mmCIF file of all heavy atoms in Angstrom:
data_model
loop_
_atom_site.group_PDB
_atom_site.id
_atom_site.type_symbol
_atom_site.label_atom_id
_atom_site.label_comp_id
_atom_site.label_asym_id
_atom_site.label_seq_id
_atom_site.Cartn_x
_atom_site.Cartn_y
_atom_site.Cartn_z
ATOM 1 N N VAL A 92 -14.516 27.739 24.122
ATOM 2 C CA VAL A 92 -13.821 26.989 22.992
ATOM 3 C C VAL A 92 -14.061 25.526 23.171
ATOM 4 O O VAL A 92 -13.912 24.974 24.302
ATOM 5 C CB VAL A 92 -12.365 27.333 23.120
ATOM 6 C CG1 VAL A 92 -11.609 26.502 22.005
ATOM 7 C CG2 VAL A 92 -12.075 28.756 23.036
ATOM 8 N N GLY A 93 -14.579 24.885 22.118
ATOM 9 C CA GLY A 93 -15.014 23.499 22.190
ATOM 10 C C GLY A 93 -16.268 23.249 22.910
ATOM 11 O O GLY A 93 -16.599 22.114 23.385
ATOM 12 N N ASP A 94 -17.122 24.304 23.107
ATOM 13 C CA ASP A 94 -18.347 24.202 23.929
ATOM 14 C C ASP A 94 -19.515 23.698 23.002
ATOM 15 O O ASP A 94 -20.159 24.454 22.409
ATOM 16 C CB ASP A 94 -18.701 25.550 24.534
ATOM 17 C CG ASP A 94 -19.906 25.371 25.415
ATOM 18 O OD1 ASP A 94 -20.434 24.233 25.590
ATOM 19 O OD2 ASP A 94 -20.371 26.405 26.051
ATOM 20 N N LYS A 95 -19.564 22.331 22.954
ATOM 21 C CA LYS A 95 -20.543 21.687 22.074
ATOM 22 C C LYS A 95 -21.708 21.170 22.977
ATOM 23 O O LYS A 95 -22.511 20.378 22.570
ATOM 24 C CB LYS A 95 -19.982 20.629 21.239
ATOM 25 C CG LYS A 95 -19.533 19.359 21.964
ATOM 26 C CD LYS A 95 -18.074 19.357 22.551
ATOM 27 C CE LYS A 95 -16.967 19.591 21.550
ATOM 28 N NZ LYS A 95 -15.676 19.884 22.186
ATOM 29 N N ILE A 96 -21.739 21.584 24.252
ATOM 30 C CA ILE A 96 -22.717 20.923 25.277
ATOM 31 C C ILE A 96 -24.104 20.963 24.854
ATOM 32 O O ILE A 96 -24.883 19.979 25.080
ATOM 33 C CB ILE A 96 -22.440 21.574 26.636
ATOM 34 C CG1 ILE A 96 -21.009 21.485 27.078
ATOM 35 C CG2 ILE A 96 -23.380 20.932 27.619
ATOM 36 C CD1 ILE A 96 -20.507 20.169 27.462
ATOM 37 N N THR A 97 -24.606 22.076 24.230
ATOM 38 C CA THR A 97 -25.951 22.063 23.784
ATOM 39 C C THR A 97 -26.349 20.809 22.889
ATOM 40 O O THR A 97 -27.470 20.391 23.031
ATOM 41 C CB THR A 97 -26.177 23.331 22.874
ATOM 42 O OG1 THR A 97 -26.023 24.482 23.788
ATOM 43 C CG2 THR A 97 -27.558 23.401 22.370
ATOM 44 N N LEU A 98 -25.501 20.335 22.106
ATOM 45 C CA LEU A 98 -25.815 19.242 21.179
ATOM 46 C C LEU A 98 -26.207 17.940 21.954
ATOM 47 O O LEU A 98 -27.308 17.496 21.689
ATOM 48 C CB LEU A 98 -24.684 18.960 20.220
ATOM 49 C CG LEU A 98 -24.566 19.858 18.985
ATOM 50 C CD1 LEU A 98 -24.534 21.360 19.293
ATOM 51 C CD2 LEU A 98 -23.397 19.495 18.028
ATOM 52 N N PRO A 99 -25.494 17.462 22.857
ATOM 53 C CA PRO A 99 -25.969 16.261 23.565
ATOM 54 C C PRO A 99 -26.982 16.594 24.608
ATOM 55 O O PRO A 99 -27.926 15.921 25.043
ATOM 56 C CB PRO A 99 -24.749 15.709 24.284
ATOM 57 C CG PRO A 99 -23.716 16.747 24.291
ATOM 58 C CD PRO A 99 -24.030 17.709 23.125
ATOM 59 N N LEU A 100 -26.936 17.872 25.141
ATOM 60 C CA LEU A 100 -27.808 18.231 26.316
ATOM 61 C C LEU A 100 -29.284 18.367 25.911
ATOM 62 O O LEU A 100 -30.199 17.858 26.684
ATOM 63 C CB LEU A 100 -27.284 19.626 26.817
ATOM 64 C CG LEU A 100 -28.040 20.166 28.075
ATOM 65 C CD1 LEU A 100 -27.859 19.218 29.316
ATOM 66 C CD2 LEU A 100 -27.471 21.546 28.420
ATOM 67 N N ALA A 101 -29.576 18.985 24.751
ATOM 68 C CA ALA A 101 -30.972 19.249 24.492
ATOM 69 C C ALA A 101 -31.797 17.918 24.258
ATOM 70 O O ALA A 101 -32.797 17.683 24.964
ATOM 71 C CB ALA A 101 -31.080 20.103 23.190
ATOM 72 N N PRO A 102 -31.224 16.951 23.521
ATOM 73 C CA PRO A 102 -31.955 15.707 23.460
ATOM 74 C C PRO A 102 -31.950 14.877 24.734
ATOM 75 O O PRO A 102 -32.942 14.232 25.074
ATOM 76 C CB PRO A 102 -31.189 14.880 22.306
ATOM 77 C CG PRO A 102 -29.904 15.619 22.109
ATOM 78 C CD PRO A 102 -30.132 17.005 22.577
ATOM 79 N N LEU A 103 -30.863 15.043 25.533
ATOM 80 C CA LEU A 103 -30.825 14.327 26.763
ATOM 81 C C LEU A 103 -31.909 14.778 27.721
ATOM 82 O O LEU A 103 -32.590 13.894 28.390
ATOM 83 C CB LEU A 103 -29.438 14.493 27.406
ATOM 84 C CG LEU A 103 -29.210 13.933 28.793
ATOM 85 C CD1 LEU A 103 -29.423 12.471 28.840
ATOM 86 C CD2 LEU A 103 -27.805 14.254 29.282
ATOM 87 N N VAL A 104 -32.113 16.057 27.865
ATOM 88 C CA VAL A 104 -33.221 16.571 28.813
ATOM 89 C C VAL A 104 -34.539 16.225 28.224
ATOM 90 O O VAL A 104 -35.450 15.840 28.997
ATOM 91 C CB VAL A 104 -32.987 18.106 29.023
ATOM 92 C CG1 VAL A 104 -34.169 18.745 29.747
ATOM 93 C CG2 VAL A 104 -31.710 18.354 29.746
ATOM 94 N N ALA A 105 -34.749 16.278 26.906
ATOM 95 C CA ALA A 105 -36.059 15.954 26.315
ATOM 96 C C ALA A 105 -36.483 14.469 26.612
ATOM 97 O O ALA A 105 -37.680 14.163 26.571
ATOM 98 C CB ALA A 105 -36.033 16.213 24.799
ATOM 99 N N VAL A 106 -35.461 13.558 26.830
ATOM 100 C CA VAL A 106 -35.867 12.199 27.158
ATOM 101 C C VAL A 106 -36.881 12.140 28.312
ATOM 102 O O VAL A 106 -37.731 11.240 28.334
ATOM 103 C CB VAL A 106 -34.536 11.438 27.595
ATOM 104 C CG1 VAL A 106 -34.868 10.047 28.249
ATOM 105 C CG2 VAL A 106 -33.669 11.173 26.348
ATOM 106 N N PHE A 107 -36.716 13.080 29.200
ATOM 107 C CA PHE A 107 -37.556 13.063 30.448
ATOM 108 C C PHE A 107 -38.863 13.858 30.326
ATOM 109 O O PHE A 107 -39.479 14.230 31.377
ATOM 110 C CB PHE A 107 -36.743 13.462 31.598
ATOM 111 C CG PHE A 107 -35.579 12.574 31.849
ATOM 112 C CD1 PHE A 107 -34.345 12.905 31.236
ATOM 113 C CD2 PHE A 107 -35.732 11.409 32.557
ATOM 114 C CE1 PHE A 107 -33.238 12.036 31.378
ATOM 115 C CE2 PHE A 107 -34.577 10.553 32.675
ATOM 116 C CZ PHE A 107 -33.377 10.820 32.061
ATOM 117 N N GLY A 108 -39.302 14.181 29.099
ATOM 118 C CA GLY A 108 -40.535 14.836 28.937
ATOM 119 C C GLY A 108 -40.450 16.370 29.158
ATOM 120 O O GLY A 108 -41.539 17.001 29.327
ATOM 121 N N VAL A 109 -39.266 16.915 29.236
ATOM 122 C CA VAL A 109 -39.125 18.380 29.459
ATOM 123 C C VAL A 109 -38.733 18.835 28.128
ATOM 124 O O VAL A 109 -37.803 18.405 27.451
ATOM 125 C CB VAL A 109 -38.027 18.662 30.475
ATOM 126 C CG1 VAL A 109 -37.751 20.154 30.460
ATOM 127 C CG2 VAL A 109 -38.306 18.083 31.904
ATOM 128 N N ALA A 110 -39.566 19.789 27.622
ATOM 129 C CA ALA A 110 -39.264 20.369 26.293
ATOM 130 C C ALA A 110 -38.156 21.397 26.301
ATOM 131 O O ALA A 110 -38.033 22.170 27.205
ATOM 132 C CB ALA A 110 -40.571 21.025 25.700
ATOM 133 N N VAL A 111 -37.273 21.302 25.300
ATOM 134 C CA VAL A 111 -36.103 22.148 25.252
ATOM 135 C C VAL A 111 -36.094 22.956 23.987
ATOM 136 O O VAL A 111 -35.756 22.547 22.841
ATOM 137 C CB VAL A 111 -34.731 21.364 25.335
ATOM 138 C CG1 VAL A 111 -33.488 22.293 25.364
ATOM 139 C CG2 VAL A 111 -34.708 20.433 26.453
ATOM 140 N N PRO A 112 -36.570 24.277 24.122
ATOM 141 C CA PRO A 112 -36.536 25.189 22.907
ATOM 142 C C PRO A 112 -35.159 25.911 22.980
ATOM 143 O O PRO A 112 -35.084 26.970 23.670
ATOM 144 C CB PRO A 112 -37.694 26.086 23.270
ATOM 145 C CG PRO A 112 -37.753 26.163 24.746
ATOM 146 C CD PRO A 112 -37.123 24.942 25.311
#
Side-chain angles (χ1 to χ4, degrees):
V92 179
D94 185 3
K95 71 275 296 168
I96 303 290
T97 294
L98 277 57
L100 181 64
L103 174 59
V104 170
V106 164
F107 299 93
V109 174
V111 185

